[in-house]
């Protein structure tokens, strides 16, 4: 493959002046394409689907997560459904557990909030397609594992703080401010750090980590809302002075499911942003302090949120609510800017391979713009599920190649050869079966099923058939 000296100079010019070592890294990385020799792809042996499934490590990870989540949910149900014995001023009593009727009602009111926020965070991660397993893993951990761990740890820490009064020691104002934010943010962020260790170079985008952090947080909020709604309904049904149970639950639904529904996703997103900035930095100090700073910001924000909600009157809380909306708007603007910058980065890095003769120019054009990626996927979907699936994989592999190239240029990856060849070969294998050029592509008309099509195109003999004359 021919050298690309002009591209090396262009890439080097984007680095700030004065960083000689960085200039050498970028120039060496940009020029490495010229020395990279072509490696013929090894023939792929197509195994049966069940063998491919058993050999896929994600299958075992998801299976383990499903089993752990089921065990956590069953144990949580047993705890909240059982009656609780209490003793106050020498008198013993029994507080009934949450009934199945209250839990069903709470689920009915909690799932719309979880569905809307999950769709938002899945739609946010547009440059990373076909990550259904990662999205499911994050949501499942937040909804089952993180809630189970935080429930037990919060109860233990509240007991250590000597909280008195009430059935649930984790429901006091002290634990809600001092212990619950640290415990809950640690539990929700645990899946992010585990994926960062397991996925390695595939976890490289701020938008990607925020999407995963948001799904973990909204899964946690989903189960937490069910608990709060069910407790409110159950308490109103067994207490005559509590008033109408439906009105009590609706007030809590508006508060937690609408007005303050952004709380958990906002806090955990801080950890996701810090983790992504640390993964994309060459400095060891930034790799350590960026995730730590993001986690501290998440805990402090959670503490302030719980503290203000516990001690301030409603009039002041309404004013602070607009301040919180301003913070959410700032995060949204930041993510939009990062999305635009990621599109430009993908174009710049894929152009290295275009100028080197490894990829056609249409790949950089299609993969660098969200609207063209979505149009290519839509056109592929109109041509059948198999073509749509291959197109999504082509977009994912091309994105991985661009991020790998960016890591090489930034000095984060020391093995620029085999992995790049592998991704390029995979793109060339998928190219005939996927929609790779978005410009000018048109939707296909709906097709009839195969059995109807054969029946419709069956030739008809219009000639008259006469019986032979009788003797």
């Amino acid at each position: 493959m021919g050298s690309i000296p002009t591209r090396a100079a262009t890439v080097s010019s984007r680095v700030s002046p004065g960083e000689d070592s960085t200039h050498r890294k970028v120039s060496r990385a940009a020029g490495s394409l010229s020395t990279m020799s072509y490696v013929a792809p090894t023939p792929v042996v197509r195994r049966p689907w069940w063998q491919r499934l058993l050999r896929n490590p994600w299958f075992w990870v998801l299976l383990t997560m499903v089993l752990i989540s089921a065990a956590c949910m069953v144990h949580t149900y047993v705890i909240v459904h059982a009656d609780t014995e209490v003793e106050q001023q020498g008198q013993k009593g029994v507080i009934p557990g949450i009934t199945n009727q209250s839990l069903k009602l709470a689920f009915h009111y909690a799932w719309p909030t979880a569905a809307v926020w999950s769709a938002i965070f899945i739609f946010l991660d547009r440059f990373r397609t076909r990550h259904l397993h990662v999205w499911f893993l994050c949501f499942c951990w937040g909804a089952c594992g993180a809630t189970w761990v935080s429930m037990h740890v919060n109860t233990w820490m509240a007991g250590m703080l000597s909280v008195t009064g009430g059935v649930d020691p984790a429901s006091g104002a002290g634990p809600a401010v001092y212990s619950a934010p640290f415990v809950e943010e640690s539990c929700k962020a645990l899946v992010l750090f585990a994926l960062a260790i397991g996925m390695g170079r595939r976890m490289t985008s701020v938008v990607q980590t925020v999407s995963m952090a948001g799904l973990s947080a909204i899964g946690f909020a989903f189960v937490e809302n069910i608990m709060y709604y069910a407790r409110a309904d159950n308490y109103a049904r067994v207490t005559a002075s509590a008033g109408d149970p439906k009105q009590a639950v609706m007030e809590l639904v508006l508060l937690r499911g609408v007005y303050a529904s952004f709380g958990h996703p906002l806090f955990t997103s801080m950890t996701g942003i810090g983790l992504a900035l640390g993964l994309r930095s060459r400095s060891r100090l930034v790799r350590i302090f960026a995730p730590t700073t993001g986690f501290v910001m998440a805990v402090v924000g959670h503490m302030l949120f719980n503290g203000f909600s516990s001690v301030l009157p409603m009039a002041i809380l309404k004013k602070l609510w607009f301040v919180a909306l301003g913070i959410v708007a700032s995060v949204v603007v930041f993510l939009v800017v990062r999305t635009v910058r990621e599109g430009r980065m993908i174009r710049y890095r894929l152009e290295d391979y275009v100028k080197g003769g490894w990829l056609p120019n249409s790949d950089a054009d299609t993969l660098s713009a969200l609207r063209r990626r979505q149009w290519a996927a839509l056109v592929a979907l109109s041509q059948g599920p198999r073509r749509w699936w291959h197109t999504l994989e082509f977009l994912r592999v091309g994105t991985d190649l661009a991020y790998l190239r960016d890591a090489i240029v930034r000095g984060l990856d020391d093995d620029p050869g085999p992995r790049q060849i592998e991704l390029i070969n995979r793109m060339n294998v998928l190219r005939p079966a996927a929609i790779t050029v978005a410009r000018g592509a048109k939707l296909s008309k709906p097709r009839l099923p195969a059995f109807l099509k054969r029946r419709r195109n069956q030739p008809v003999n219009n000639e008259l058939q006469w019986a032979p004359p009788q003797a």
Side-chain angles (χ1 to χ4, degrees):
M1 191 177 74
S3 60
I4 47 173
T6 57
R7 185 55 184 169
T10 305
V11 175
S12 300
S13 64
R14 291 199 181 101
V15 184
S16 59
E19 299 181 1
D20 296 336
S21 60
T22 306
H23 273 286
R24 290 193 295 270
K25 289 181 180 179
V26 173
S27 300
R28 184 168 58 254
S32 63
L33 285 175
S34 60
T35 60
M36 207 166 50
S37 59
Y38 178 77
V39 179
T42 58
V44 179
V45 179
R46 193 67 175 176
R47 301 179 183 273
W49 67 268
W50 59 271
Q51 290 188 6
R52 298 197 305 269
L53 185 65
L54 295 178
R55 289 174 177 268
N56 191 348
W58 278 109
F59 169 76
W60 299 106
V61 171
L62 294 179
L63 180 61
T64 304
M65 177 55 62
V66 169
L67 296 177
I68 293 176
S69 301
C72 292
M73 292 302 296
V74 170
H75 190 222
T76 302
Y77 171 78
V78 171
I79 293 176
V80 302
H81 187 67
D83 297 337
T84 304
E85 295 183 359
V86 295
E87 182 177 355
Q88 293 183 355
Q89 298 178 356
Q91 297 181 356
K92 295 183 178 180
V94 177
I95 296 181
I98 301 177
T99 62
N100 293 334
Q101 181 181 1
S102 297
L103 289 174
K104 292 180 181 178
L105 181 66
F107 179 84
H108 173 74
Y109 286 118
W111 77 262
T113 303
V116 171
W117 278 105
S118 298
I120 291 174
F121 283 108
I122 290 175
F123 182 79
L124 178 66
D125 192 13
R126 289 295 83 205
F127 281 115
R128 293 286 183 175
T129 56
R130 264 191 56 178
H131 270 194
L132 298 177
H133 53 286
V134 178
W135 296 335
F136 174 79
L137 179 66
C138 293
F139 185 88
C140 195
W141 167 256
C144 303
T147 53
W148 183 84
V149 174
S150 63
M151 180 180 65
H152 289 80
V153 178
N154 279 337
T155 303
W156 173 77
M157 294 189 69
M160 296 298 293
L161 291 174
S162 300
V163 177
T164 59
V167 178
D168 185 6
S171 61
V177 176
Y178 299 110
S179 65
F182 179 81
V183 174
E184 294 177 2
E185 294 304 325
S186 299
C187 294
K188 290 184 293 183
L190 182 61
V191 67
L192 300 180
F193 291 96
L195 287 173
I197 296 174
M199 296 177 64
R201 65 187 64 178
R202 293 179 179 272
M203 192 171 174
T204 53
S205 168
V206 172
V207 180
Q208 181 189 17
T209 54
V210 169
S211 175
M212 293 187 293
L215 288 173
S216 177
I218 200 60
F220 185 93
F222 171 57
V223 176
E224 191 179 53
N225 287 342
I226 292 178
M227 302 294 292
Y228 274 93
Y229 300 163
R231 285 176 179 174
D233 180 75
N234 194 72
Y235 178 78
R237 291 182 184 277
V238 299
T239 306
S241 60
D244 185 13
K246 184 176 181 180
Q247 182 179 0
V249 174
M250 287 305 300
E251 292 178 357
L252 197 58
V253 169
L254 291 177
L255 178 62
R256 296 186 57 87
V258 180
Y259 297 131
S261 61
F262 57 83
H264 279 291
L266 175 63
F267 304 141
T268 313
S269 295
M270 299 295 178
T271 306
I273 293 174
L275 179 61
L277 295 179
L279 291 173
R280 299 299 297 170
S281 176
R282 293 187 296 267
S283 173
R284 292 185 178 180
L285 291 177
V286 176
R287 291 182 181 181
I288 296 174
F289 286 107
T292 305
T293 303
F295 176 75
V296 171
M297 291 179 62
V299 173
V300 172
H302 202 154
M303 285 182 175
L304 293 176
F305 183 87
N306 290 352
F308 291 157
S309 301
S310 302
V311 300
L312 294 181
M314 186 58 65
I316 300 179
L317 289 178
K318 290 181 180 180
K319 297 180 181 179
L320 293 178
W321 182 72
F322 290 100
V323 177
L325 288 183
I327 298 176
V328 173
S330 302
V331 175
V332 171
V333 172
F334 171 77
L335 294 177
V336 170
V337 174
R338 293 294 305 188
T339 303
V340 174
R341 292 182 59 183
E342 286 184 21
R344 295 176 180 175
M345 183 275 296
I346 291 175
R347 172 178 285 276
Y348 293 152
R349 298 316 176 206
L350 291 182
E351 283 179 354
D352 291 351
Y353 302 99
V354 172
K355 293 186 177 181
W358 289 78
L359 295 177
N361 190 35
S362 59
D363 289 352
D365 180 72
T366 301
L367 273 74
S368 60
L370 286 178
R371 63 181 183 277
R372 288 192 284 272
R373 294 168 67 104
Q374 295 171 1
W375 180 248
L378 185 61
V379 172
L381 182 61
S382 67
Q383 299 181 11
R386 186 182 298 273
R387 195 168 184 83
W388 173 73
W389 190 255
H390 287 305
T391 301
L392 292 185
E393 186 176 0
F394 178 84
L395 297 175
R396 179 184 60 82
V397 174
T399 305
D400 290 342
L401 179 64
Y403 277 104
L404 176 60
R405 176 63 183 165
D406 185 65
I408 295 170
V409 172
R410 295 167 62 90
L412 302 175
D413 198 304
D414 297 331
D415 186 18
R419 177 62 177 166
Q420 294 180 90
I421 297 296
E422 178 185 353
L423 293 177
I424 292 174
N425 289 336
R426 184 57 183 164
M427 293 178 66
N428 292 330
V429 170
L430 293 170
R431 198 178 301 279
I435 300 296
T436 61
V437 181
R439 294 183 183 271
K442 297 182 179 180
L443 296 174
S444 300
K445 296 181 180 180
R447 299 179 180 180
L448 292 174
F451 65 94
L452 293 179
K453 187 176 181 180
R454 286 195 299 267
R455 184 177 180 180
R456 182 179 179 181
N457 295 338
Q458 185 176 2
V460 179
N461 189 359
N462 294 325
E463 298 180 0
L464 294 177
Q465 302 293 333
W466 299 96
Q470 296 180 1

